[in-house]
Amino acid sequence: MLKKCLLSGILVVPFVCGAVQAYEPRIADPVLDPWRWREMEELGGHGVLCMDEAEDGTLWFGCIGGLLKYDGLQIDPIPFDVKLLSGIEHNPNRTPWGISVLCLRDGSLLAVIDSGLARWVNGDWEVVVSDVGNSTYATKLQQMDDGTIWLLMPDSLWHFSEDLETQQVVLREDQTHRLKSFCFDERGDIWVLRDVQLKYSELIHMPLRAGRLTEETLWNSYLLEQGKPGGEAQICSGPDGRIWYVDNLAQNEPLAFDPLEKTWSEAEHPESAKGYFSLFKDRNGILWAGGAGLLYAIDPSGDRY
């Protein structure tokens, strides 16, 4: 009988202790561990302008004079050869720039090179559009879940079929307007950031229905509540459903636009952390803003660091 009591006591004790206080392990955020970061000296001197990651983990970089392919072991250069340059508009008095790259689902790579759009496939260049307009740091390629491809240029927004056989300019601007950034929200609608006469910026909501862009009469625009917009600005759909905005001016706060309330709000972040040059969302839904010597992140739970 004594043995049975002791056995019961032994079994009950851990049950009671567990109910008093749950064990919560303290795990350091790996993003903040300095040893996980390293400078890639191999990329030095190549004039890296942009990058994208293929599904197999290969990194592609758009550079001055060509592309770089990094598979984790070695870097392979891919030059802009004579055949390519003879088929696209570019400045013959300077080395051509690979200003934007996009890894496609079929394993090929799409790139904006100066004013041309070309694809690297099976070890060779294939010109898609010889002249899409003058490129800037705002130039951006993005592929949707339905496979279609979108391209933002300073004066136009392009739409391509997945096979790149069909194309359409869905938005064209004159010299008084400038397109600076675009993104897609969780519903697939398009949001475009536009400068008007270099005086103010506005956010344009362009709904999509069944994968097709709606008529312009159904678009809405919202004035950016920022004193003076920065020359370089980015928008991105956040994990909280809001459209986030950053620019390169040190006096400007990161902002978030609520599509439901149609209101802007300032982000909570360190007072010293202002002025960002890039903004993107990773596969885990975390937003990353890159500034001068710092990174600002917003994860799906709303935590910021």
Side-chain angles (χ1 to χ4, degrees):
M1 185 69 178
L2 178 61
K3 291 183 179 180
K4 291 184 179 179
C5 293
L6 290 176
L7 181 60
S8 300
I10 293 172
L11 293 175
V12 169
V13 169
F15 174 77
V16 173
C17 292
V20 173
Q21 184 177 3
Y23 173 67
E24 296 182 1
R26 300 180 62 87
I27 302 175
D29 192 327
V31 175
L32 304 181
D33 290 337
W35 63 269
R36 296 181 183 270
W37 296 80
R38 76 176 182 88
E39 181 180 356
M40 293 193 63
E41 298 179 356
E42 306 94 319
L43 299 177
H46 289 283
V48 174
L49 301 170
C50 59
M51 66 173 291
D52 196 18
E53 183 181 5
E55 291 186 357
D56 62 1
T58 300
L59 297 179
W60 290 82
F61 300 89
C63 309
I64 298 176
L67 304 180
L68 293 178
K69 176 184 177 182
Y70 178 62
D71 61 4
L73 298 175
Q74 64 181 16
I75 293 179
D76 297 319
I78 300 173
F80 299 144
D81 55 32
V82 175
K83 176 186 174 182
L84 168 66
L85 297 179
S86 64
I88 63 172
E89 289 294 323
H90 67 286
N91 186 346
N93 298 318
R94 74 165 195 185
T95 303
W97 288 20
I99 200 69
S100 182
V101 294
L102 175 66
C103 297
L104 301 179
R105 298 174 182 177
D106 62 5
S108 62
L109 184 87
L110 199 60
V112 177
I113 302 157
D114 276 9
S115 296
L117 179 65
R119 179 169 62 169
W120 176 257
V121 56
N122 297 325
D124 197 10
W125 284 107
E126 177 185 288
V127 175
V128 179
V129 180
S130 61
D131 189 0
V132 290
N134 294 326
S135 59
T136 66
Y137 290 117
T139 297
K140 180 181 178 182
L141 285 161
Q142 187 167 340
Q143 188 168 30
M144 290 287 289
D145 291 338
D146 62 3
T148 58
I149 299 163
W150 294 79
L151 166 63
L152 183 82
M153 302 296 290
D155 64 349
S156 57
L157 179 63
W158 295 66
H159 182 218
F160 297 86
S161 60
E162 185 172 10
D163 59 9
L164 300 171
E165 293 296 326
T166 60
Q167 55 193 252
Q168 178 187 9
V169 178
V170 300
L171 183 60
R172 176 76 72 179
E173 300 292 349
D174 57 27
Q175 295 182 350
T176 63
H177 295 68
R178 180 188 178 193
L179 305 181
K180 304 181 71 173
S181 183
F182 84 113
C183 69
F184 296 90
D185 61 21
E186 297 302 322
R187 297 182 302 175
D189 290 355
I190 304 174
W191 295 80
V192 178
L193 182 67
R194 176 170 67 183
D195 260 10
V196 180
Q197 297 179 345
L198 301 179
K199 295 180 180 179
Y200 63 91
S201 295
E202 60 183 0
L203 194 61
I204 305 174
H205 178 210
M206 305 164 63
L208 269 68
R209 298 293 180 266
R212 294 181 176 273
L213 190 64
T214 57
E215 298 179 358
E216 191 170 352
T217 55
L218 299 177
W219 301 357
N220 291 299
S221 62
Y222 306 94
L223 181 67
L224 176 68
E225 297 180 2
Q226 190 76 279
K228 180 182 178 182
E232 297 178 29
Q234 299 287 333
I235 59 173
C236 188
S237 174
D240 52 8
R242 295 186 292 176
I243 306 299
W244 288 78
Y245 166 94
V246 299
D247 66 34
N248 63 316
L249 293 187
Q251 67 266 28
N252 288 345
E253 303 275 356
L255 300 176
F257 179 77
D258 189 327
L260 298 179
E261 300 293 333
K262 296 179 174 54
T263 56
W264 290 92
S265 59
E266 293 184 354
E268 298 178 1
H269 68 124
E271 182 63 27
S272 60
K274 297 181 181 180
Y276 299 92
F277 299 89
S278 63
L279 179 67
F280 77 98
K281 182 165 55 178
D282 67 19
R283 296 174 180 175
N284 298 318
I286 300 177
L287 280 183
W288 295 91
L294 57 90
L295 285 173
Y296 174 52
I298 307 166
D299 70 22
S301 67
D303 291 338
R304 298 164 173 81
Y305 51 87

